[in-house]
CSV table of all heavy atoms in Angstrom, one decimal:
chain,number,residue,atom,x,y,z
T,45,LEU,N,-3.1,-4.4,-6.0
T,45,LEU,CA,-2.4,-3.9,-7.1
T,45,LEU,C,-3.2,-4.1,-8.4
T,45,LEU,O,-3.6,-5.2,-8.7
T,45,LEU,CB,-1.0,-4.7,-7.2
T,45,LEU,CG,-0.1,-4.2,-8.3
T,45,LEU,CD1,0.3,-2.8,-8.1
T,45,LEU,CD2,1.1,-5.2,-8.4
T,46,ILE,N,-3.3,-3.0,-9.1
T,46,ILE,CA,-4.0,-3.0,-10.4
T,46,ILE,C,-3.0,-3.4,-11.5
T,46,ILE,O,-3.2,-4.3,-12.3
T,46,ILE,CB,-4.7,-1.7,-10.7
T,46,ILE,CG1,-5.8,-1.4,-9.7
T,46,ILE,CG2,-5.3,-1.7,-12.1
T,46,ILE,CD1,-6.4,0.0,-9.8
T,47,ALA,N,-1.9,-2.6,-11.5
T,47,ALA,CA,-1.0,-2.8,-12.6
T,47,ALA,C,0.3,-2.0,-12.3
T,47,ALA,O,0.4,-1.1,-11.4
T,47,ALA,CB,-1.5,-2.2,-13.9
T,48,THR,N,1.3,-2.4,-13.0
T,48,THR,CA,2.6,-1.7,-13.0
T,48,THR,C,2.7,-0.9,-14.2
T,48,THR,O,2.5,-1.4,-15.4
T,48,THR,CB,3.8,-2.7,-13.0
T,48,THR,OG1,3.7,-3.6,-11.9
T,48,THR,CG2,5.1,-2.0,-13.0
T,49,ALA,N,2.9,0.4,-14.1
T,49,ALA,CA,3.0,1.4,-15.2
T,49,ALA,C,4.4,1.4,-15.7
T,49,ALA,O,5.3,1.8,-15.0
T,49,ALA,CB,2.5,2.8,-14.8
T,50,ASN,N,4.6,1.0,-17.0
T,50,ASN,CA,5.9,0.9,-17.6
T,50,ASN,C,6.1,2.0,-18.5
T,50,ASN,O,5.2,2.3,-19.4
T,50,ASN,CB,6.0,-0.5,-18.4
T,50,ASN,CG,5.8,-1.7,-17.4
T,50,ASN,OD1,6.4,-1.8,-16.4
T,50,ASN,ND2,4.9,-2.6,-17.9
T,51,GLN,N,7.2,2.7,-18.4
T,51,GLN,CA,7.5,3.8,-19.3
T,51,GLN,C,7.8,3.3,-20.7
T,51,GLN,O,8.7,2.5,-20.8
T,51,GLN,CB,8.7,4.6,-18.7
T,51,GLN,CG,8.8,6.0,-19.3
T,51,GLN,CD,9.8,6.0,-20.5
T,51,GLN,OE1,10.8,5.2,-20.5
T,51,GLN,NE2,9.6,6.8,-21.5
T,52,GLY,N,7.1,3.8,-21.6
T,52,GLY,CA,7.4,3.5,-23.0
T,52,GLY,C,6.8,2.2,-23.5
T,52,GLY,O,7.0,1.8,-24.7
T,53,SER,N,6.1,1.5,-22.7
T,53,SER,CA,5.5,0.2,-23.1
T,53,SER,C,4.2,0.0,-22.3
T,53,SER,O,3.8,0.8,-21.4
T,53,SER,CB,6.4,-1.0,-22.9
T,53,SER,OG,6.7,-1.1,-21.5
T,54,GLU,N,3.5,-1.0,-22.7
T,54,GLU,CA,2.2,-1.3,-22.1
T,54,GLU,C,2.3,-1.7,-20.7
T,54,GLU,O,3.3,-2.3,-20.3
T,54,GLU,CB,1.5,-2.4,-22.9
T,54,GLU,CG,0.0,-2.6,-22.6
T,54,GLU,CD,-0.6,-3.7,-23.5
T,54,GLU,OE1,-0.9,-3.3,-24.7
T,54,GLU,OE2,-0.9,-4.8,-23.1
T,55,ALA,N,1.3,-1.3,-19.9
T,55,ALA,CA,1.3,-1.6,-18.5
T,55,ALA,C,1.2,-3.1,-18.3
T,55,ALA,O,0.6,-3.8,-19.1
T,55,ALA,CB,0.2,-0.9,-17.7
T,56,THR,N,1.7,-3.6,-17.1
T,56,THR,CA,1.5,-5.0,-16.7
T,56,THR,C,0.4,-5.1,-15.7
T,56,THR,O,0.5,-4.6,-14.6
T,56,THR,CB,2.8,-5.5,-16.1
T,56,THR,OG1,3.9,-5.3,-17.0
T,56,THR,CG2,2.7,-7.0,-15.8
T,57,TYR,N,-0.7,-5.8,-16.1
T,57,TYR,CA,-1.9,-5.9,-15.3
T,57,TYR,C,-1.9,-7.1,-14.4
T,57,TYR,O,-1.4,-8.2,-14.9
T,57,TYR,CB,-3.1,-5.8,-16.2
T,57,TYR,CG,-3.3,-4.5,-16.8
T,57,TYR,CD1,-2.7,-4.1,-18.0
T,57,TYR,CD2,-4.2,-3.5,-16.2
T,57,TYR,CE1,-2.9,-2.8,-18.5
T,57,TYR,CE2,-4.3,-2.3,-16.7
T,57,TYR,CZ,-3.7,-1.9,-17.9
T,57,TYR,OH,-3.9,-0.7,-18.4
T,58,GLU,N,-2.5,-7.0,-13.3
T,58,GLU,CA,-2.6,-8.1,-12.4
T,58,GLU,C,-3.9,-8.9,-12.7
T,58,GLU,O,-4.8,-8.3,-13.4
T,58,GLU,CB,-2.7,-7.6,-10.9
T,58,GLU,CG,-1.4,-7.0,-10.5
T,58,GLU,CD,-0.2,-7.9,-10.6
T,58,GLU,OE1,-0.3,-9.0,-10.0
T,58,GLU,OE2,0.8,-7.5,-11.2
T,59,SER,N,-4.0,-10.1,-12.2
T,59,SER,CA,-5.2,-10.9,-12.5
T,59,SER,C,-6.4,-10.2,-12.0
T,59,SER,O,-6.5,-9.6,-10.9
T,59,SER,CB,-5.0,-12.2,-11.7
T,59,SER,OG,-6.2,-13.0,-11.9
T,60,GLY,N,-7.4,-10.1,-12.9
T,60,GLY,CA,-8.7,-9.5,-12.5
T,60,GLY,C,-8.8,-8.1,-13.1
T,60,GLY,O,-9.9,-7.5,-12.9
T,61,PHE,N,-7.7,-7.5,-13.6
T,61,PHE,CA,-7.7,-6.2,-14.1
T,61,PHE,C,-7.3,-6.2,-15.6
T,61,PHE,O,-6.3,-6.9,-15.9
T,61,PHE,CB,-6.8,-5.3,-13.3
T,61,PHE,CG,-7.2,-5.1,-11.9
T,61,PHE,CD1,-6.6,-5.9,-10.9
T,61,PHE,CD2,-8.1,-4.2,-11.5
T,61,PHE,CE1,-7.0,-5.8,-9.6
T,61,PHE,CE2,-8.5,-4.1,-10.2
T,61,PHE,CZ,-7.9,-4.9,-9.2
T,62,VAL,N,-8.0,-5.5,-16.5
T,62,VAL,CA,-7.7,-5.5,-17.9
T,62,VAL,C,-7.5,-4.1,-18.4
T,62,VAL,O,-8.1,-3.2,-17.9
T,62,VAL,CB,-8.8,-6.3,-18.7
T,62,VAL,CG1,-8.9,-7.8,-18.3
T,62,VAL,CG2,-10.2,-5.6,-18.5
T,63,ILE,N,-6.8,-4.1,-19.5
T,63,ILE,CA,-6.5,-2.8,-20.1
T,63,ILE,C,-7.7,-2.0,-20.6
T,63,ILE,O,-7.7,-0.8,-20.5
T,63,ILE,CB,-5.4,-3.0,-21.3
T,63,ILE,CG1,-4.9,-1.6,-21.7
T,63,ILE,CG2,-6.0,-3.8,-22.4
T,63,ILE,CD1,-3.7,-1.7,-22.7
T,64,ASP,N,-8.7,-2.7,-21.1
T,64,ASP,CA,-9.9,-2.0,-21.6
T,64,ASP,C,-10.6,-1.3,-20.5
T,64,ASP,O,-11.2,-0.2,-20.7
T,64,ASP,CB,-10.8,-3.0,-22.3
T,64,ASP,CG,-10.3,-3.5,-23.6
T,64,ASP,OD1,-9.3,-2.9,-24.1
T,64,ASP,OD2,-10.8,-4.6,-24.1
Side-chain angles (χ1 to χ4, degrees):
Chain T
L45 181 63
I46 298 172
T48 302
N50 302 309
Q51 193 267 328
S53 63
E54 192 173 286
T56 305
Y57 289 84
E58 297 301 308
S59 176
F61 298 95
V62 295
I63 188 171
D64 290 345

